[in-house]
Amino acid sequence: AAGTLETTKTAEEAIAANKEIDQIITLICLCANGDLKKGIGYLQVIGHSSHKTVNAYYKIFNIPSLENINKYINLTKDKNINQANEVVNNLLHNGYNADDILDILLKVVIRREDLQYQTLFIQAISEVFIMTENCNSNTHLYALTSKLINIMKTGKYELDLLN
């Protein structure tokens, strides 16, 4: 019975390790964004790291976690402005700047297949990206939350950049 317990534990550890590797590969693909040279560079860096975990990847490359980004997207889909803005607060409090948050947010939205208004989300995020280039302010992230929720409510998006 002890051998069976050890075998089960070893199998569970192997499954967990494979899930971790799959998550790291997903992150590398997301961050490389189709650039093979970048992808190889990311692989080399994480390969030489003493800690080959998803959390280590987030720390090494200083990117917000996919869990937080997906949580933010889901909260905007659910039209929950307070909790969505709380995710933004936490990301900013953890030292991520608006550009890093927007970059990962855009990449995740592009790859999500469950967004009814995916194109409108991409337009809103892109507009805020442009706005932060001209005037880097975290306020734009909170405005984005409002825009995404408005898209979910109305199914429409109006470009504010020209106003």
Side-chain angles (χ1 to χ4, degrees), residues 35-50:
D35 186 331
L36 187 57
K37 210 173 190 182
K38 278 185 182 178
I40 291 169
Y42 292 137
L43 275 172
Q44 289 173 332
V45 170
I46 200 73
H48 286 88
S49 170
S50 58

Side-chain angles (χ1 to χ4, degrees), residues 13-67:
E13 288 171 350
I15 291 169
N18 283 339
K19 286 181 182 179
E20 189 85 14
I21 291 168
D22 287 347
Q23 289 176 327
I24 291 171
I25 290 170
T26 299
L27 283 168
I28 289 170
C29 292
L30 184 73
C31 292
N33 205 30
D35 186 331
L36 187 57
K37 210 173 190 182
K38 278 185 182 178
I40 291 169
Y42 292 137
L43 275 172
Q44 289 173 332
V45 170
I46 200 73
H48 286 88
S49 170
S50 58
H51 302 289
K52 294 171 183 67
T53 64
V54 172
N55 286 333
Y57 187 93
Y58 291 136
K59 288 178 184 174
I60 290 169
F61 296 106
N62 195 33
I63 62 167
S65 74
L66 294 183
E67 291 81 13

Side-chain angles (χ1 to χ4, degrees), residues 2-129:
T4 305
L5 182 59
E6 289 174 16
T7 304
T8 303
K9 186 176 180 183
T10 305
E12 289 173 356
E13 288 171 350
I15 291 169
N18 283 339
K19 286 181 182 179
E20 189 85 14
I21 291 168
D22 287 347
Q23 289 176 327
I24 291 171
I25 290 170
T26 299
L27 283 168
I28 289 170
C29 292
L30 184 73
C31 292
N33 205 30
D35 186 331
L36 187 57
K37 210 173 190 182
K38 278 185 182 178
I40 291 169
Y42 292 137
L43 275 172
Q44 289 173 332
V45 170
I46 200 73
H48 286 88
S49 170
S50 58
H51 302 289
K52 294 171 183 67
T53 64
V54 172
N55 286 333
Y57 187 93
Y58 291 136
K59 288 178 184 174
I60 290 169
F61 296 106
N62 195 33
I63 62 167
S65 74
L66 294 183
E67 291 81 13
N68 282 326
I69 296 298
N70 280 309
K71 180 178 179 181
Y72 174 79
I73 294 168
N74 291 334
L75 289 167
T76 59
K77 280 177 56 180
D78 295 340
K79 303 175 201 103
N80 191 330
I81 194 164
N82 293 331
Q83 287 185 0
N85 280 334
E86 187 60 34
V87 172
V88 171
N89 282 338
N90 291 337
L91 291 171
L92 293 170
H93 181 72
N94 287 327
Y96 298 108
N97 66 40
D99 288 340
D100 292 337
I101 296 168
L102 291 169
D103 181 51
I104 294 298
L105 180 61
L106 182 61
K107 289 174 181 175
V108 170
V109 166
I110 288 170
R111 286 163 178 80
R112 293 238 340 216
E113 297 176 6
D114 65 329
L115 293 174
Q116 181 180 5
Y117 301 112
Q118 182 181 34
T119 304
L120 299 178
F121 270 48
I122 292 168
Q123 287 176 334
I125 296 165
S126 298
E127 179 191 357
V128 172
F129 235 134

